[in-house]
């Protein structure tokens, strides 16, 4: 699902939510609805001030609180309404959800190793990464298609979902999606449109280097 090739000059900013307590604990969140910490709210407010300068025309967000509350910080500054879509939720990971990184490696070591090798794995009996892209990428494109030429869309989502969506929109084989590094809390990546489709022009932007704490590590 590569982007339109008519060179309309659109831009998609894929913004990961702020910090949660489960991020700090390195606990797999998946579709569990965990709220932002005070630090996460501060991260969202800081990032929102930077993103406002990019003059977004539309904001769409996962309906999970950590993403929705992050998006709300930008919406207030831009005077925009946020559209919430469950298609942008994080990967459902079944029995992995709620476990720490160490517990996952201990209990599901072979499954974890296969996933890190780029194999198609239903982590904890949940979704395949390609299935996440199947639901998320069309949501992103449906909103991008509504932009005026040169317009900017902000998509507020989750680390794993953003990575798979970027891979899909760039036309990369799913085996290579792991080559895209994870996003730190409240950092973003930018896809810009040219005559040959979408290009990744920024990745994990927005702050000084921070550890990547989340499901996508």
């Amino acid at each position: 699902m590569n982007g339109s090739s008519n060179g309309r000059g659109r831009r998609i900013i894929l913004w990961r939510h702020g910090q949660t307590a489960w991020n700090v604990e390195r606990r797999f969140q998946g579709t569990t609805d965990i709220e932002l910490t005070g630090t996460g709210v501060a991260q969202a407010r800081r990032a929102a001030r930077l993103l406002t300068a990019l003059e977004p025309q539309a904001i769409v967000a996962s309906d999970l609180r950590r993403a929705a509350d992050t998006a709300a910080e930008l919406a207030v500054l831009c005077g925009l309404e946020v559209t919430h879509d469950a298609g942008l939720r994080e990967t459902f990971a079944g029995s992995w959800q709620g476990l720490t990184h160490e517990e996952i490696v201990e209990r599901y070591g072979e499954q974890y190793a296969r996933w890190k090798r780029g194999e198609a794995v239903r982590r904890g009996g949940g979704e395949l990464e390609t299935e996440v892209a199947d639901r998320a990428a069309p949501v992103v494109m449906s909103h991008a298609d509504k932009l005026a030429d040169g317009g900017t869309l902000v998509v507020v989502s989750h680390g794993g979902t953003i990575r798979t969506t970027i891979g899909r929109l760039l036309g990369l084989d799913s085996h290579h999606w792991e080559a895209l590094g994870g996003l730190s809390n409240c950092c973003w990546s930018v896809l810009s449109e040219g005559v040959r489709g979408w290009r990744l022009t920024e990745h994990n932007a927005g702050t000084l280097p921070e550890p990547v704490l989340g499901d996508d590590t």
Side-chain angles (χ1 to χ4, degrees):
M1 179 188 282
N2 209 331
S4 170
S5 60
N6 59 5
R8 290 175 50 195
R10 298 169 296 176
R11 181 167 55 181
I12 301 172
I13 299 168
L14 298 118
W15 183 25
R16 188 184 171 211
H17 62 80
Q19 182 198 86
T20 70
W22 279 22
N23 289 152
V24 177
E25 296 168 7
R26 300 190 74 195
R27 195 174 297 278
F28 200 106
Q29 294 176 121
T31 56
T32 311
D33 199 7
I34 306 300
E35 64 185 6
L36 297 176
T37 61
T39 296
V41 173
Q43 289 172 335
R45 289 176 179 168
R46 176 191 179 277
R49 291 195 297 270
L50 297 174
L51 290 173
T52 299
L54 300 180
E55 299 182 348
Q57 278 73 61
I59 306 171
V60 59
S62 160
D63 62 345
L64 296 177
R65 282 181 294 173
R66 57 191 185 272
D69 290 349
T70 298
E73 297 294 337
L74 179 60
V76 168
L77 296 182
C78 295
L80 295 171
E81 295 291 328
V82 179
T83 301
H84 301 99
D85 197 307
L88 296 174
R89 289 183 177 186
E90 184 58 288
T91 308
F92 173 64
S95 58
W96 281 28
Q97 295 190 176
L99 299 182
T100 65
H101 176 80
E102 291 74 17
E103 289 168 338
I104 290 169
V105 172
E106 179 182 350
R107 301 180 195 181
Y108 303 96
E110 177 55 31
Q111 190 179 71
Y112 178 84
R114 288 174 53 216
W115 169 56
K116 297 304 289 184
R117 288 196 298 266
E119 298 179 23
V121 175
R122 293 190 180 278
R123 288 170 286 171
E127 292 179 287
L128 295 173
E129 290 190 330
T130 51
E131 292 171 340
V132 177
D134 287 343
R135 61 170 164 82
V139 172
V140 173
M141 284 310 305
S142 69
H143 287 273
D145 285 341
K146 299 173 186 175
L147 293 172
D149 291 0
T152 296
L153 169 70
V154 175
V155 178
V156 191
S157 187
H158 310 266
T161 302
I162 289 173
R163 184 170 60 86
T164 59
T165 299
I166 291 173
R168 177 62 57 79
L169 295 182
L170 294 180
L172 301 177
D173 186 278
S174 60
H175 181 75
H176 299 298
W177 293 350
E178 176 66 15
L180 295 165
L183 294 182
S184 300
N185 286 118
C186 258
C187 288
W188 59 85
S189 294
V190 180
L191 296 178
S192 299
E193 185 182 31
V195 294
R196 291 192 289 176
W198 297 103
R199 299 180 67 196
L200 181 63
T201 51
E202 292 187 60
H203 188 57
N204 200 26
T207 185
L208 295 172
E210 294 280 350
V212 176
L213 304 174
D215 300 350
D216 202 37
T217 57

